[in-house]
Amino acid sequence: MKKFIFLFAFCITVTNIFAQTDPNQIKKEGNDAFNAKNYPVAYAKFSEYLKQTNNQDSATAYYCGMAADEIKKYAEAVTYFDIAIQKKFNIGNAYARKAAALDALKKTDEYVATLEEGLKVAPNNKVMVKNYGLHFLKAGLAAQKAGKTEEAEENFKKVIPLNHKTYKTNALYSLGVLCYNDGANILKKAAPLANSDADKYAAEKEKADARFKEAVDYLEEAAKISPENANVKKMLPQVKAAMK
């Protein structure tokens, strides 16, 4: 009876040994599934392979992140893109994809921080430039609409360093309009003082003129970048006229 038990246990051990799949075979199956766009299987295979190999394969980690993203496992995608980033594999796109996954998770602060970090490493990555520019242009317009001038300015200014003609022009134009409107509002509020308190009116007009000057500077910079831009062409003379 004891001999039978020993042989049975030995059979189980041998079976388990032969049942283990070679990690390279798992990776191959993952690659085949990924190429066939069978992302659930690709994710399962890649993640198992990485688990067995202690996350050493940066390329597979990147593609595992892509597969995770395709099946909406966004938190897992972030984890695998982080591995690719740490190992500097396709780092610009890894940052861009990590940011997109964070955006899908509605983790806005982490999304923006990842884009900022990624742009330091890959400043010309088109996806990151686009997403970063659009984020702050939209945030600036929303703040401006809500009457939050300082917040709007801060958001628009974040777009200016980007290497993107359209976004840069839009940010500069938006800043020009914002400064002009601010100056016009200062003058409007100060108008009753023109006859009752000349000194105070003069001080307010000086503030308004300073804002108009800022507007001109932004618009002239926008005109250098995009001389064909109709909005800039129309706005610049209007601001200069307000300074007279």
Side-chain angles (χ1 to χ4, degrees), residues 72-83:
K72 299 183 179 180
K73 286 182 172 286
Y74 300 119
E76 290 83 351
V78 169
T79 297
Y80 288 111
F81 288 131
D82 265 335
I83 294 170

Side-chain angles (χ1 to χ4, degrees), residues 35-109:
N35 291 333
K37 297 184 179 180
N38 187 346
Y39 298 115
V41 172
Y43 173 74
K45 296 293 182 179
F46 284 152
S47 58
E48 178 59 27
Y49 165 76
L50 289 164
K51 182 180 179 181
Q52 289 192 23
T53 57
N54 197 29
N55 294 327
Q56 291 303 306
D57 188 333
S58 58
T60 300
Y62 177 82
Y63 289 109
C64 189
M66 288 182 65
D69 186 67
E70 290 288 346
I71 59 176
K72 299 183 179 180
K73 286 182 172 286
Y74 300 119
E76 290 83 351
V78 169
T79 297
Y80 288 111
F81 288 131
D82 265 335
I83 294 170
I85 289 167
Q86 289 162 12
K87 296 181 180 298
K88 296 180 170 54
F89 177 83
N90 201 4
I91 193 164
N93 289 331
Y95 268 115
R97 289 183 176 278
K98 176 186 173 182
L102 288 167
D103 189 36
L105 291 167
K106 301 188 184 305
K107 294 185 175 183
T108 304
D109 290 344

Side-chain angles (χ1 to χ4, degrees), residues 179-214:
C179 291
Y180 169 75
N181 288 341
D182 194 32
N185 284 332
I186 291 171
L187 278 183
K188 183 179 179 180
K189 291 177 182 178
L193 299 171
N195 297 321
S196 62
D197 192 333
D199 289 341
K200 192 168 183 179
Y201 176 78
E204 291 301 299
K205 187 177 186 308
E206 187 176 346
K207 291 179 186 177
D209 285 343
R211 291 300 269 168
F212 291 146
K213 175 63 168 60
E214 286 183 76

